[in-house]
Amino acid sequence: MNRFYYPAYRIIVPKFIRNIILKVGLRKSILDHFAGLPEEEINDEQNDVIKFIRKNGIKIFPYDFHNHYSENSIEVFFDLQNRMRYVIHEGKRLYFKKKWGISRIKRAYCDLVREQDLASPHRYLGDSFQIMENDVIADIGAADGNFSLSVIENVKRVYLFEHDKEWIEALQATFEPWKDKVKIINKYVAGHNDEKNIRFDTFFEENGDVNFLKIDVDGAESHVLESCASLFQIIAHLKIVLCTYHKNNDEMEFTSKLKDHGFKVIPSPGYMIFYYDKLIAPPYLRRGLIRATKGGSGYI
């Protein structure tokens, strides 16, 4: 669309209609792309997605489990003591930003549990990629902290990295029962150090017990990897789960970089269609994340 008309288009056309138009156009582009490929170049996973798209249209998770989750089934509670709303996540309280209303919390939590479905390409853990009892986690891009909350009772320690100040109070409330083994760092993990940023290899110099990195930072994953450069050269044992769906070439680039540092790298099964990325391009289907391991026992 002409860049001069786009601002007016956004003002005149409601967002939900723009999304419908976007998805219709993207559906056609994806089906046309794969229709133009030789059959032998399309793998079974891609064929499954193509069949889903033909029947159901475009979803970020183009699988049947997408529709197994409903906002209507989510109950939101209010904590009178700290004036914050929360949901019960795997038997524990998960708090949200104070300014969020009930409807937004329901939408957000529905998305959280959907993306961690057993069949989801965005699921952080897998059958052979699990948290061990003595693991120390760096949750980089913690947001609400749902991942760390799910494993908090089974790990030794958790460092929560979250730059958004509005999440900090919610994280403090969520992890209050485990505050003796949780530290919250209100900074970006980036390629330099200052008041708002920290290199992870700098952090690791004083916290060398970290052996599990979860990295989900809305497209800034390359900056996090840059901040780990010297760490990757010296560390012997490490597990990493790293999101690769935000940009077109992230899976290929991150896989190559980690393999160069001696990691074994495996993508999560399945694909995502991240239509929020305006630069989405063929082949359109992206792996949700990669799981990387380096070291001995327990790192398979």
Side-chain angles (χ1 to χ4, degrees):
M1 181 178 292
N2 188 300
R3 63 188 178 89
F4 296 107
Y5 293 119
Y6 186 66
Y9 171 75
R10 285 178 59 87
I11 294 172
I12 296 171
V13 181
K15 183 176 181 179
F16 78 94
I17 294 180
R18 298 200 307 268
N19 280 339
I20 292 173
I21 295 171
L22 169 66
K23 291 178 182 180
V24 169
L26 185 56
R27 178 183 184 274
K28 183 178 186 304
S29 295
I30 293 174
L31 294 179
D32 286 350
H33 169 74
F34 283 98
L37 295 178
E39 187 174 337
E40 61 271 16
E41 292 186 14
I42 305 175
N43 64 41
D44 291 341
E45 288 181 306
Q46 291 169 335
N47 268 320
D48 288 342
V49 171
I50 293 167
K51 291 176 183 176
F52 179 93
I53 291 173
R54 286 193 181 119
K55 181 178 179 181
N56 302 281
I58 297 296
K59 307 284 186 184
I60 288 181
F61 300 109
Y63 300 96
D64 290 339
F65 77 82
H66 185 281
N67 295 322
H68 294 170
Y69 297 90
S70 170
E71 299 169 18
N72 297 328
S73 64
I74 297 169
E75 188 171 3
V76 178
F77 303 91
F78 188 72
D79 188 330
L80 289 172
Q81 184 174 353
N82 59 29
R83 312 294 297 176
M84 299 175 72
R85 293 185 175 90
Y86 65 93
V87 300
I88 299 299
H89 178 67
E90 299 179 9
K92 302 178 282 288
R93 291 187 179 190
L94 178 66
Y95 286 84
F96 290 84
K97 294 181 179 181
K98 266 189 174 178
K99 71 177 184 180
W100 283 15
I102 292 174
S103 295
R104 183 162 186 184
I105 290 173
K106 285 187 173 184
R107 289 197 304 272
Y109 186 65
C110 186
D111 288 341
L112 289 176
V113 293
R114 177 186 289 120
E115 71 180 20
Q116 296 305 310
D117 185 275
L118 289 173
S120 171
H122 192 291
R123 183 174 174 81
Y124 295 125
L125 302 178
D127 291 342
S128 60
F129 188 86
Q130 292 291 328
I131 294 292
M132 310 292 282
E133 184 176 356
N134 291 318
D135 279 348
V136 176
I137 298 174
D139 187 344
I140 302 174
D144 53 86
N146 68 303
F147 169 70
S148 289
L149 185 61
S150 294
V151 300
I152 189 64
E153 293 174 333
N154 301 317
V155 298
K156 182 179 179 181
R157 190 174 295 108
V158 174
Y159 298 102
L160 300 168
F161 291 83
E162 178 51 53
H163 77 278
D164 187 343
K165 293 184 182 298
E166 293 183 2
W167 276 122
I168 301 305
E169 188 176 9
L171 288 170
Q172 290 170 340
T174 293
F175 291 96
E176 173 65 22
W178 304 276
K179 61 182 179 181
D180 59 325
K181 62 176 180 177
V182 173
K183 182 176 181 180
I184 301 171
I185 299 94
N186 184 203
K187 290 187 175 187
Y188 288 99
V189 176
H192 60 283
N193 296 307
D194 58 27
E195 292 184 358
K196 296 182 179 180
N197 302 275
I198 186 169
R199 288 184 60 91
F200 190 77
D201 48 18
T202 300
F203 176 84
F204 189 80
E205 289 175 3
E206 296 183 2
N207 303 275
D209 54 351
V210 174
N211 67 341
F212 190 110
L213 305 185
K214 169 253 173 182
I215 307 172
D216 187 349
V217 287
D218 295 332
E221 286 79 9
S222 61
H223 300 304
V224 176
L225 290 183
E226 179 187 350
S227 80
C228 297
S230 61
L231 166 65
F232 289 162
Q233 293 177 14
I234 63 172
I235 196 164
H237 302 282
L238 189 64
K239 290 184 283 190
I240 303 174
V241 56
L242 172 65
C243 285
T244 56
Y245 66 91
H246 293 109
K247 298 179 181 179
N248 288 312
N249 298 317
D250 279 356
E251 181 200 352
M252 179 179 65
E253 293 177 4
F254 298 164
T255 297
S256 176
K257 181 171 294 188
L258 290 173
K259 284 185 175 180
D260 286 345
H261 286 291
F263 286 86
K264 176 183 178 182
V265 182
I266 299 176
S268 59
Y271 293 99
M272 294 174 62
I273 304 173
F274 191 60
Y275 55 78
Y276 293 117
D277 179 11
K278 295 177 182 178
L279 300 178
I280 190 169
Y284 302 105
L285 311 184
R286 301 175 182 173
R287 297 291 187 184
L289 51 86
I290 54 178
R291 303 179 182 122
T293 57
K294 181 180 182 181
S297 178
Y299 294 82
I300 57 177

